Each structure stands twice: as C-alpha cells, then as structure tokens.
C-alpha cells in the first residue's frame, strides 16, 4: 500500500478523536451553524438564481426590494408564512401535514457530515470544522437524500388530486433510478481513496490529486445524477409546470409550500457540498500543499464555500440553458446510459486497483495492457455492421421540404378501434345504469325550453 | 422485527456496563419500532401501513448505529427505507389511494390456516428468544473504524472471500427473478417492429390509420371558465366531443356524467358564444337574423359533412 493511502486511513480517526473531545456548548454551536447554512443559502440562492437567470434572459430580475433587489427573498420569506393555507378536501390530512416536514429535516441533517475545513481553535478549544465524523459519513449524506424524497412522494400522494400524484410518482421513479447511478459514481471515489469517511476522502485528494480529473467519468455521472436527485431543471419532472401545474406541490400553500422550497434549495446545497468534498478537494486550495499557510486555520472554509458556489452556479446555469427532458428520455438516460457507464467505469477502477495492489505490475505494463484492450475493442466495433435504413416504398408523398401531405383522395375512416371501444364502453355503462335504476331511467332531458338553455349556458 | 428488539435487550441485560445514553436510546427507539410494527399491521390504508413500516425500519437502523455498527445502520436506511419501501410506495400509489384491504375471505379456510401458522411461528420465536435471553455472552465492543469491527472493508472481505460462492448464488437467483419479472411484464405495445418514430406516426396518421390526422382539440378556455372539463366549441357553436377527456379521474364521476348529459342535451342548439340565435323555442320570433345565421350554420355543417 502506498504511504498516502495509509495516511488517508488514519486521518479521520484523529479527527474523530478531536471531535469526541468537544464540549457540549461547542457541539451545540456547530449544530446550530450547520442547521443555519441550509436556510441562509436558500435565501441567498433564490435571489441569486432569479438575478442570474434574469441576466441570462436579458432582463434585470428582481430589483425592487433593497439595493439591487437583494432583499427580495427576505420579503418573500416574511410573506409566505402569513398567506392563507388552503387544504384540499380530498387530502389525507395527517400525511399532508407531515410531508413538508419529512422533506425538510433530512435536508438540514445532511450537512452534518461535510468537512468544511481542518483543525481550528474556537474560544480556546481545538476542534475540527465538522459536526460528526463517522467511518461511513458518505452513507449519511446518501441516506439523508433517500429519506428526503419521501416528503415529495407523500406530499404528492396526500394531496389527493391527480397532478400532484403524478408528480409524486415521477419523483419516486426518478430517485430510485438516479440514486443507483449516484451511488455507483461514489463507489468509484471510495475505491480510489480507500475510505468512506468524508474527511478521509478529502485527505486522500490533498495527497493524490483531485478526483474530478482523476475519476472524470465518476464526476460527470455524479454531476448529472445530482441534478436528477434534487429535481432541478432540466430534470425537474416532478414539478414540471408545463405538464403538471406544480407537480407534487400543486396543492400546497403558505408555510408548507415554503418548506418544500427550503428542502429543494437545501438539497442543492448538500449535493454541491458533497460534490466539493468528493471530487473538488474539499477545503483545499490547489497548487499549494496541505501544509501551506493558505490551507490552515479558517481559510479552507472560504475555499470550500467558493467551490460550492461554483457548483451551485452550475445548477442555475443549467436551468437558464436547457429545456426540460421528456420523461421517457430522462429514464432512458438514467438506466441505459448512466448506470451501464458507471458499472463499466467501476469495473475499470477495480481492475486497476487490483493490479496496483498486486506485486510486480508496473504502471507501464498496465498502460500496455490497457492500450491493447482499447485496440481490440475498436477493432471489434469495426465488425458491427452499419444499421440499414429501410427504404419505405409505401411512403406518403412529401412536399419539397420533406413534410408529408395528405393525398387528394384521402379517406378518413368512419370508425376507428378506439371509437368503437369508447362506444361499447358508453353502451355498457348506460345499460348498467338502466339496470341499477329502472324506475328513474327516463329520457335524457330533451332539448328544452329556451329559458333553461339560457341558464345552463352560464357555466360554460 | 420482533426478534430484534429483545435480542438487544438481552445484550443490554447481560452486559453490565451499558451506558445511560445507550439505555435511553434503546427505551426510546425500541417502543417506537414495536409501535410502528403493530400500527403497520392494523392500519387500514395501505400507504399508512407502508409508512409505519418505514418508521420501524428507521428506528432499527438507528439502533444499529448506536450499537457501533454504522455501516449496517446506514445500509439499512438506504436500502430498505430508501429503495425498497420507496418501490412499495410507488406500487401502492399506482394502485390508487382509495383501495383498502378487503375483508372477504377469498380462499376457504385461509384465516384458520393463517391463525394456526401464526401462532406456531410465534411459539417458535418465543422459544428461541427465551433461550437467547437466558444465556447470552455479551458482545465485545467493536471499533467500527477498523475492518474487523464491522467496517465496510471487513464485511467485503467476509462476503467476497469467505462466502463468495453463496453470495454469487444469491445474486444469480436475484437476477433470474429480475429477468423473469421483466419478461412477464414486457408487452410490445405497438406492433412487431416496436415503437414507431415520430415521422412514421405522421405518415400513418395521414394514411388514415388513426382517428384523425391532427391533434384533438383542447378544452375550451373562455372568460367564464378555464377548466379542462369545459368542452371546446366548433366554429358553428356546437360542442366538440373530442375535447372532453375520458381520463380525468379527479372530477367526481357522477358530476362529470351529469355535466356531459347536460351538454349532450344542449348540443343541438347553438351556443351563446357562437353569435348565433336559438333555433327553436322562445327565440323563434325574435329576429329574422338569428334564424338566418342558424340556417347558415346548418349549411356549413352539411358542407363539412360532404
């Protein structure tokens, strides 16, 4: 085993020991700060997003409240809780109330495992800028994400109307499929750093190089699935405005709606912080060693937040740039592209790892073997015959632009299978109704007096 | 689940050095887990049942974490709570929120058999548990930071070296089940050659394989209403029947039916939005212009038919 790996393994234990020494007031202080990061970033992000998307679309964005409109989300945050709560009659009330809470709480917990920086002294107490240090803190973040989705799914279900239900269903399917890709991309990092502790991963990157270029496929897959996991554009299918009104939060108003908002933006913050930790070297400033003054004390917090903001800007950029995916395309991307790619990449990493761990295999040999493998794969791909495009003889005549036009003697069929089915359904229903109430089954109100007609026109 | 809680209890009893925090956590999480399991059984609504089960699983995961097995605990939460129960919920939501358990006995003697078997299992469990409670060597405290202490590395060594063959057998079984489910569930929705492309669909529409070449009319949007349940109007003021969706389930069915009947009964006459006078009844003697437009409408309608 190479020396830096051994160090990466011991690093989290030292941090864990330091954290275990924390007095209660320090733990409470850290917990409060970690919990506040989510809401504060939410407030800042909403204004930032509206301003940035506005500039991308050649308009100023919010510019009324405060200097440059910077206080807009504060005004919104005050407004929202005081708005009227509308609860649909068909809602399952208990779950309807519970859903926003379930969405928010894991979103606030997730940041606990993120190492914001190294060793510092707070009021004379040496500690580490991290709330908890677990041997499996990577899993803590994943678990938080998987619980948070319950809020969306249940909110959609409990609203008791079809659009939210569709949004909830989409969200459930989306999370199940994209969590697999996300987990597989994280496994690459874990294999490479030989640690499942977030601080161990950061330490391994400080010594061996950042993983966003060492494990580029993992990084790309994580970035894509991270957007899918947080329901952000272009993957915001659970709340697709053009299809589902508001998706899962259609029936939510007032504070509960605000909580869904908070959950969404906090989740963005968490996945960005997680991406920074896993792939962008955590709080490390590049080009200097971990012992440089710029990487000591409170400086890493600044670098960490800066990297996080870059990732968050990426979220907003995506939203301003890309149109929403169609649902089947989205699923296809997840299952047929991301998951297989992640699996193949994982196999590759595991092979390289095994070869490296084995004695007497040099880097040159690995490269030669890899090169031969690539050549063989390319040669094999040449053997695959090209796809033949069938020449359709019975094609519809097209205009010069290639657009099909109807023939002059077009015959539209009188009945189609669907019409027939609908007719049969209608008949059977009429029959059933007639059986149910033979006495009341009269003639369906004949086209009657003008006064009645005038009345009933009103509700059109 | 029932097996789990007393075992922990047994360990806590045998190990004299159980810390206060652990005891408190156990007495908080244990009852929650049991309550969740009971509520899961007795809840009427299937989704509520699933949620109670989620609560049980979550408290079990937390118990694992407290017992110095964080990897196991988080895996429990991610795999069971995050993935499996989410799939359950997905299916339950597809089934529909109104569906509850039927109390009708479909299989004859099913309840009797279930009761006998249930009591039998309870007896077996109780027997095993009493033995477990009587003599349990306290487990040594493990360090989850080391591979030997239940960390991921140690588990991987056990699974992929000592028990590789059973593990592979299990995975083969699971893959068989997954492939089987896919084969059973797979239906080729369209034709032998699979899905049609957009281009082929357009061609097929113009060839007359579908109801109509153009999309169906959308619902009517007027100053008085923008509901999807409002029908669109044709140029002559009559109602376009295709604009009424058959798929809107949220509209209470009876209401929708009544509304449709009302609309059907009105379909013969012109509409207020159509700038056409009523054909018969009270509006007959009003003005000659009204009847004129009505006849014009009739003419255009017959022309359309031809």
């Amino acid at each position: 085993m190479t020396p830096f790996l051994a160090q990466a393994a011991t690093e989290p234990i030292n941090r864990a020991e330091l954290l275990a020494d924390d007095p209660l007031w320090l733990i409470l202080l850290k917990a409060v700060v970690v919990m506040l990061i989510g809401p504060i970033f939410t407030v800042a992000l909403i204004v930032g997003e509206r301003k940035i998307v506005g500039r991308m679309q050649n308009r100023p964005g919010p510019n009324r409240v405060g200097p440059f409109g910077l206080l807009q989300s504060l005004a919104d945050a005050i407004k929202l809780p005081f708005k009227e709560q509308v609860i649909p009659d068909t809602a399952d009330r208990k779950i309807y109330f519970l859903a926003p809470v379930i969405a928010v709480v894991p979103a606030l917990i997730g940041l606990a495992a993120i190492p914001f920086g190294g060793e510092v002294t707070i009021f004379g107490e040496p500690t580490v800028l991290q709330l908890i240090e677990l041997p499996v803190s990577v899993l803590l973040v994943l678990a938080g994400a998987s619980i948070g989705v319950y809020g969306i799914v249940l909110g959609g279900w409990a609203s008791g109307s079809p659009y939210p239900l569709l949004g909830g269903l989409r969200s459930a399917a989306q999370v199940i499929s994209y969590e697999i890709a996300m987990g597989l991309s994280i496994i690459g990092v874990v294999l490479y750093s030989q640690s499942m502790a977030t601080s161990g991963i950061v330490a391994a990157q400080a010594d061996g190089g950042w993983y966003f270029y060492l494990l580029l496929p993992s990084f790309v897959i994580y970035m894509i699935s991270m957007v899918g996991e947080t329901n952000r554009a272009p993957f915001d299918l659970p709340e697709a405005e053009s299809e589902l009104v508001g998706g899962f939060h259609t029936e939510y108003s007032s504070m509960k709606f605000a909580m869904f908002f908070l959950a969404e933006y906090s989740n963005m913050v968490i996945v960005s912080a997680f991406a920074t930790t896993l792939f962008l070297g955590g709080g490390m400033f590049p080009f200097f060693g971990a012992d440089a003054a710029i990487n000591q004390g409170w400086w890493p917090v600044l670098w960490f937040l800066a990297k996080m903001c870059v990732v968050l800007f990426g979220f907003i950029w995506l939203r301003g740039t890309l149109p929403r995916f169609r649902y089947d395309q989205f699923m296809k991307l997840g299952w047929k592209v991301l998951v297989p790619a992640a699996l193949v990449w994982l196999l590759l990493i595991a092979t390289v790892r095994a070869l490296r761990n084995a004695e007497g295999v040099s880097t040159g040999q690995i490269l030669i073997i890899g090169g031969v493998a690539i050549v063989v794969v390319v040669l094999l791909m040449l053997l695959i015959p090209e796809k033949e495009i069938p020449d359709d003889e019975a094609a519809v005549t097209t205009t010069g632009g290639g657009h099909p036009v109807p023939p002059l003697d077009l015959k539209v069929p009188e009945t189609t299978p669907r019409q027939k089915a609908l007719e049969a359904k209608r008949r059977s229903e009429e029959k059933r109704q007639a059986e149910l109430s033979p006495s009341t089954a009269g003639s369906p109100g004949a086209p009657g007096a003008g006064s009645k007609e005038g009345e009933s026109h009103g509700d059109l | 689940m029932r097996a789990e809680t007393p075992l922990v209890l047994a360990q806590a009893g045998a190990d004299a050095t159980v810390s206060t925090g652990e005891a408190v956590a156990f007495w908080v999480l244990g009852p929650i887990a049991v309550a969740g399991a009971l509520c899961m059984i007795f809840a009427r609504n299937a989704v509520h049942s699933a949620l109670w089960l989620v609560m049980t699983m979550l408290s079990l995961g937390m118990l694992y974490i407290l017992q110095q097995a964080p990897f196991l605990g988080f895996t429990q939460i991610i795999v069971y709570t995050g993935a499996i129960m989410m799939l359950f919920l997905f299916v339950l939501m597809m089934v529909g929120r109104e569906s509850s358990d039927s109390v009708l006995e479909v299989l004859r003697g099913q309840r009797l058999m279930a009761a006998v078997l249930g009591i039998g299992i309870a007896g077996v469990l109780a027997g095993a548990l009493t033995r477990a409670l009587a003599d349990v060597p306290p487990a040594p405290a493990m360090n989850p930071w080391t591979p030997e202490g239940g960390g991921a590395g140690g588990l991987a060594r056990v699974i992929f070296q000592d028990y590789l063959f059973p593990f592979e057998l299990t995975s083969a079984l699971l893959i068989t089940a997954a492939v089987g489910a896919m084969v059973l569930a797979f239906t080729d929705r369209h034709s032998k050659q699979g899905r049609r492309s957009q281009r082929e669909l357009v061609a097929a529409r113009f060839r007359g394989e579908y109801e109509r070449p153009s999309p169906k009319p959308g619902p009517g949007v007027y100053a008085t209403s923008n509901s999807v349940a409002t029908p669109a109007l044709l140029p002559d003021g009559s109602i376009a029947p295709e604009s009424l969706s058959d798929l809107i389930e949220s509209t209470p069915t009876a209401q929708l039916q009544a509304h449709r009947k009302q609309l059907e009964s009105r379909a013969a006459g012109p509409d207020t939005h159509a700038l056409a006078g009523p054909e018969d009844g009270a509006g007959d003697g009003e003005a000659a212009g009204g009847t004129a437009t009505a006849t014009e409408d009739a003419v255009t309608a017959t022309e359309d038919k031809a």
Side-chain angles (χ1 to χ4, degrees):
Chain A
M1 211 185 261
T2 43
F4 80 85
L5 288 174
Q7 197 211 332
T10 56
E11 174 87 3
I13 304 179
N14 298 336
R15 291 172 69 100
E17 281 166 0
L18 257 180
L19 279 174
D21 280 346
D22 280 352
L24 194 61
W25 61 265
L26 188 54
I27 295 173
L28 279 177
L29 180 72
K30 279 197 219 168
V32 168
V33 170
V34 163
M35 276 210 25
L36 280 179
I37 289 176
I40 289 173
F41 260 87
T42 302
V43 167
L45 261 178
I46 291 175
V47 172
E49 176 167 17
R50 292 180 64 182
K51 291 294 267 189
I52 293 169
V53 172
R55 301 309 299 187
M56 284 175 179
Q57 295 167 351
N58 277 335
R59 58 188 173 82
N63 59 358
R64 297 288 134 165
V65 189
F68 309 108
L70 288 179
L71 302 179
Q72 181 67 47
S73 3
L74 276 185
D76 288 344
I78 295 166
K79 177 194 71 175
L80 266 175
F82 292 107
K83 295 192 88 169
E84 185 193 353
Q85 291 199 37
V86 182
I87 302 170
D89 272 346
T90 44
D92 185 324
R93 281 183 159 250
K94 284 174 200 134
I95 296 182
Y96 181 81
F97 276 93
L98 198 63
V101 181
I102 298 180
V104 165
V105 172
L108 295 179
I109 289 176
L111 281 173
I114 303 290
F116 285 95
E119 202 180 320
V120 292
T121 312
I122 298 177
F123 300 125
E125 192 69 41
T127 183
V128 184
L129 288 174
Q130 187 176 359
L131 185 55
I132 46 169
E133 175 64 54
L134 291 168
V136 288
S137 33
V138 168
L139 295 185
L140 173 83
V141 182
L142 275 183
S146 63
I147 298 294
V149 190
Y150 271 93
I152 294 176
V153 173
L154 292 176
W157 177 79
S159 297
S161 69
Y163 286 133
L165 181 68
L166 282 176
L169 276 174
R170 282 184 175 191
S171 177
Q174 182 165 335
V175 164
I176 291 169
S177 39
Y178 272 68
E179 216 170 51
I180 294 173
M182 194 183 215
L184 286 173
S185 68
I186 291 171
I187 288 176
V189 174
V190 170
L191 273 181
Y192 221 82
S193 65
Q194 304 211 334
S195 166
M196 283 177 94
T198 42
S199 56
I201 291 170
V202 172
Q205 289 183 76
D207 294 320
W210 294 3
Y211 290 149
F212 81 92
Y213 65 89
L214 287 178
L215 302 171
L216 187 63
S218 281
F219 180 60
V220 172
I221 291 167
Y222 178 83
M223 282 290 167
I224 296 172
S225 52
M226 145 182 119
V227 181
E229 182 96 359
T230 45
N231 300 329
R232 291 280 305 176
F235 300 148
D236 56 347
L237 296 150
E239 47 174 295
E241 297 92 353
S242 50
E243 304 157 33
L244 301 181
V245 189
F248 62 92
H249 59 57
T250 305
E251 304 285 0
Y252 278 90
S253 49
S254 183
M255 193 63 202
K256 293 199 279 300
F257 176 69
M259 283 169 90
F260 273 127
F261 240 69
L262 177 65
E264 178 181 333
Y265 282 85
S266 302
N267 274 327
M268 274 167 71
V269 172
I270 289 177
V271 290
S272 306
F274 203 40
T276 309
T277 309
L278 291 183
F279 296 101
L280 302 177
M284 290 292 151
F285 193 84
F287 314 122
F288 297 92
D291 300 326
I294 208 166
N295 278 330
Q296 295 292 324
W298 289 89
W299 284 108
V301 182
L302 186 64
W303 312 138
F304 189 95
L305 291 181
K307 289 175 194 174
M308 207 169 92
C309 287
V310 170
V311 180
L312 285 172
F313 177 77
F315 268 110
I316 298 168
W317 195 359
L318 278 179
R319 188 185 153 181
T321 313
L322 294 177
R324 184 176 301 126
F325 266 55
R326 215 171 60 200
Y327 193 66
D328 59 326
Q329 292 171 334
F330 174 71
M331 280 294 159
K332 214 173 265 179
L333 175 71
W335 286 105
K336 295 189 179 168
V337 179
L338 291 185
V339 172
L343 280 174
V344 168
W345 173 241
L346 198 61
L347 206 65
L348 215 67
I349 296 178
T351 314
V352 171
R353 195 47 44 237
L355 284 176
R356 277 198 163 186
N357 285 354
E359 296 294 323
V361 184
S362 68
T363 316
Q365 280 169 316
I366 293 176
L367 285 178
I368 290 168
I369 294 171
V372 169
I374 289 172
V375 167
V376 168
V377 167
V378 169
L379 287 178
L380 281 178
M381 279 169 78
L382 288 179
L383 291 177
I384 300 171
E386 268 186 52
K387 188 184 171 191
E388 280 179 24
I389 300 161
D391 205 15
D392 198 359
E393 286 299 323
V396 175
T397 52
T398 55
T399 58
H403 194 80
V405 288
L408 288 174
D409 55 343
L410 174 72
K411 271 185 203 155
V412 179
E414 287 295 314
T415 52
T416 61
R418 187 182 138 80
Q419 272 179 340
K420 275 182 199 161
L422 282 177
E423 181 72 12
K425 193 180 156 196
R426 195 178 58 78
R427 256 188 229 139
S428 69
E429 242 164 51
E430 269 177 14
K431 206 175 157 192
R432 204 191 310 146
Q433 277 187 354
E435 277 170 8
L436 280 176
S437 55
S439 56
T440 54
S443 58
S451 63
K452 184 191 160 198
E453 219 159 86
E455 266 173 29
S456 49
H457 280 316
D459 57 22
L460 254 189
Chain B
M1 196 242 63
R2 272 191 220 139
E4 195 54 50
T5 339
L7 267 184
V8 178
L9 180 64
Q11 279 182 1
D15 192 356
T17 60
V18 61
S19 67
T20 333
E22 197 181 334
V24 169
F26 169 73
W27 285 111
V28 171
L29 290 173
I32 290 179
V34 175
L38 288 176
C39 291
M40 191 275 277
I41 295 170
F42 292 117
R44 287 273 159 139
N45 192 314
V47 171
H48 291 178
S49 275
L51 284 183
W52 286 116
L53 191 59
V54 167
M55 201 175 82
T56 301
M57 285 170 168
L58 271 181
S59 29
L60 282 190
M62 277 191 255
L63 276 175
Y64 293 152
I65 295 166
L66 285 168
Q67 302 283 331
Q68 298 286 308
F71 182 76
L72 185 61
F74 281 116
T75 316
Q76 157 100 7
I77 292 177
I78 292 174
V79 173
Y80 283 95
T81 325
I84 293 181
M85 283 317 291
M86 189 55 83
L87 272 178
F88 266 69
L89 265 185
F90 187 78
V91 174
L92 288 177
M93 283 161 60
M94 292 283 261
V95 168
R97 66 194 302 266
E98 301 305 332
S99 63
S100 316
D101 282 345
S102 155
V103 285
L104 269 166
E105 198 176 32
V106 184
L107 300 172
R108 189 172 280 249
Q110 183 194 16
R111 277 189 201 163
L112 186 70
M113 288 294 288
V116 169
L117 288 178
I119 292 171
I121 286 179
V124 171
L125 277 178
L129 284 178
T130 39
R131 280 184 59 195
L133 283 165
D135 180 28
V136 177
M142 292 199 286
N143 180 8
W145 287 97
T146 57
E148 294 78 28
L155 271 180
R157 196 163 295 146
V158 172
I159 292 174
F160 293 109
Q161 288 184 354
D162 301 353
Y163 296 97
L164 180 63
F165 190 62
F167 177 79
E168 290 295 335
L169 273 185
T170 319
S171 63
L173 188 70
L174 286 176
I175 288 176
T176 315
V179 171
M182 277 172 66
V183 169
L184 287 178
F186 184 76
T187 48
D188 202 351
R189 272 199 300 160
H190 293 283
S191 55
K192 280 160 219 149
Q193 58 264 57
R195 262 189 96 108
R196 281 173 162 176
S197 71
Q198 209 163 1
R199 192 184 182 82
E200 285 163 347
L201 269 176
V202 172
R205 280 203 194 101
F206 279 116
R207 232 183 269 125
E209 290 177 28
Y210 286 80
E211 211 172 328
R212 49 191 292 157
S214 64
K216 287 188 171 183
V221 176
Y222 309 110
T224 49
S225 147
N226 59 358
S227 152
V228 276
T230 314
L233 299 176
L234 294 174
D236 62 346
S238 63
I239 279 161
E242 298 99 328
S243 67
L244 278 170
S245 170
D246 301 309
L247 299 173
I248 304 168
E249 286 170 4
S250 78
T251 322
T253 321
Q255 199 186 325
L256 184 65
Q257 295 290 352
H259 193 57
R260 277 194 189 163
K261 221 168 242 173
Q262 195 190 353
L263 293 170
E264 271 165 23
S265 69
R266 198 200 301 154
D271 189 76
T272 43
H273 302 279
L275 298 178
E279 272 172 15
D280 50 2
D284 237 5
E286 255 185 22
T291 38
T293 43
T295 43
E296 266 175 34
D297 283 342
V299 168
T300 45
T302 43
E303 272 174 10
D304 283 348
K305 268 178 202 162

